[in-house]
Amino acid sequence: MDKMEVERDESLKEGASIQTQLQEEYLKSLESLEEGQLVEGVVIQVTPDQVFVDVGYKSEGKIPTSEFDELPAVGNTVSVVLVTKENKHGEVIVSKQKADVKQLWKDLRQALNDKVPVDGVIEKVVKGGFDVNLGSGIHAFLPISQSDSQKVDKSEKLIGVKSKFYVERLYSDNKANVVVNRRKYLEDSMTTNRDNFFNNISIGDTVKGTVKSFTSFGAFIDLGGFDGLLHINDMSWGHVTRPKDFVKKGQEIELKVIRLDPEEKRINLSLKHFSEDPWLHFEDKYHVEDVVKGKVTKLTDFGAFIELEEGIEGLAHISEFSWVKKINKASDMVKIGDEVECMILGYDIQAGRVSLGLKQVTDNPWDSIADKYPVGTKLTRKVVKLTNAGAFVELEEGIDGFLHVDDLSWTKKIKHPGSELTVGQEIEVMVIENDMDNHKIRLGVKQLSEDPWQQFCSVYKPGSTFEGEIVSIADFGVFVKAPGGIEGLVNKSNLSDNRDEPFEEAVKKYSVGDKINVYVVDVNPDKQKAAFSVKEYKRKQRRDEISQYMTSSNDGDDGAYTLGDLLKNKNN
């Protein structure tokens, strides 16, 4: 046998030996595999329906593709459960689904021991809480009290939510009964995320967040399980009425951090700080008494807000709307969106306030009112309002004159103007006072005619007498109307010349409408008061008769008729 044949025989023997060794190792490995065991397999082929896995047995295992959430690639390693080493067809039966269940139970035990969260999906509402799908056919119970970090008003809102959960229990009464807790996970996450935020974020930094909810004073922004506040005043440098005009619920936005309070766990955010504060340059553009244009943005009971430019709004108080009109509501003059011209009356840059006036861009009619309606002017105008003290008479739109009740008549005592005037009535009046500084014009009706008091004084001086008419009788005396229409009082002490006769007896001699002769005691035209006397009239009458007698006796015979005779006749 030559050398080559010898080498060939030795090679064949060595190959047979290696093959025998491999077979022995293979058989030994097969003996170590047990049905139900979790083993690793290598993907050797993928078809539309099945995945073929080599688990180290004489034939590969076949797994339906439906057991995979995501199909593996050839060469990938997958965990499977050896169901049967060899069925009647000589096939190896393996299951990835059962392997997933085994692995998940293993992971759940580990999560329970290590207090780490697991993934799940809230699928449906059940009594007292929710059913959570943890995968691989394993479901858990989530109590409603542990389902969210906030009170759950509508359970349906959580259906379909993917989240992480803490495992609180796996078994009960030796049966699988998994209970999970989402609330604690959210609270822990919130604490961790918030602490990281305060440790890593500074004032002035830009952060991202999602608009979570609205309040009357702004919007809460979810920064990762914890909230920051976007105040309504930090949405824009201008006036903001509704937060929803600037951000929408669920919207992801970038914001500036403008305030951090680690102790109170408060975070204030801003949209407006992405642009420069327009108030920094206010005095470069605006000055007091400048006439500017702006747009009405908001109406209130006390006035209107007017935007001069983005970020700068001023208030026109209702008192600055008109020189002459009394404005009850701002909407009577302007409406939102109106372009108006106004004057800057004042400003406070620190407070971000501007005072504006609408009336100041028009002429003030009160400046020329004295020229238009000088004292003595006679007018026919309409009564627009009655009060206890008098009546307002419209001179022109927005300007009324006041007619006091005392200026209605020289002689009549008028208690209420309603007895003489009605609203809407046109009357003739005279301007008797013009006070443009205080915006007051006073009118009179009685001034249209001559003052009867002055006329009376020019004719009837104290000491003179006249015949009048009794117009009223009071407990303190009798009122008498004199020629010309003025009224004076005969005091009860002056009604009778008999001092022993009481007033109650003396007054019985008179009635309203009676003619009566009186003596003028005193007249005060400024106060429109006059005092008359019946007693003094009679005394004057006697004095006049005595005087006449004395004059006659000096011109007569021997004076046989004496003064005593005269008095005697009077007494009789």
Side-chain angles (χ1 to χ4, degrees), residues 41 54 108 148 205:
D54 182 4
L108 291 175
D148 204 346
D205 286 353

Side-chain angles (χ1 to χ4, degrees), residues 67-122:
E67 293 190 19
F68 291 88
D69 294 329
E70 185 177 340
L71 287 178
V74 174
N76 287 166
T77 299
V78 295
S79 295
V80 295
V81 168
L82 181 61
V83 178
T84 304
K85 288 183 179 181
E86 189 174 352
N87 64 7
K88 63 182 180 179
H89 301 293
E91 297 173 330
V92 175
I93 306 300
V94 296
S95 172
K96 178 182 179 296
Q97 192 174 54
K98 291 183 178 181
D100 289 343
V101 173
K102 273 183 173 287
Q103 185 63 48
L104 182 55
W105 277 108
K106 181 181 178 180
D107 292 342
L108 291 175
R109 291 188 192 95
Q110 193 69 37
L112 178 62
N113 294 332
D114 296 344
K115 293 181 171 53
V116 295
V118 297
D119 293 315
V121 179
I122 300 174

Side-chain angles (χ1 to χ4, degrees), residues 229-237 240 258 268-273:
L229 174 64
L230 173 59
H231 196 277
I232 193 170
N233 293 334
D234 295 316
M235 291 182 173
S236 170
W237 292 109
V240 179
I258 58 173
N268 283 73
L269 307 168
S270 173
L271 278 174
K272 73 180 184 182
H273 283 83

Side-chain angles (χ1 to χ4, degrees), residues 474-476 492 495 501-510:
D475 292 340
F476 50 84
K492 65 180 183 178
L495 190 59
E501 184 179 24
F503 170 74
E504 290 76 13
E505 293 298 324
V507 78
K508 290 179 180 180
K509 302 174 183 178
Y510 303 100

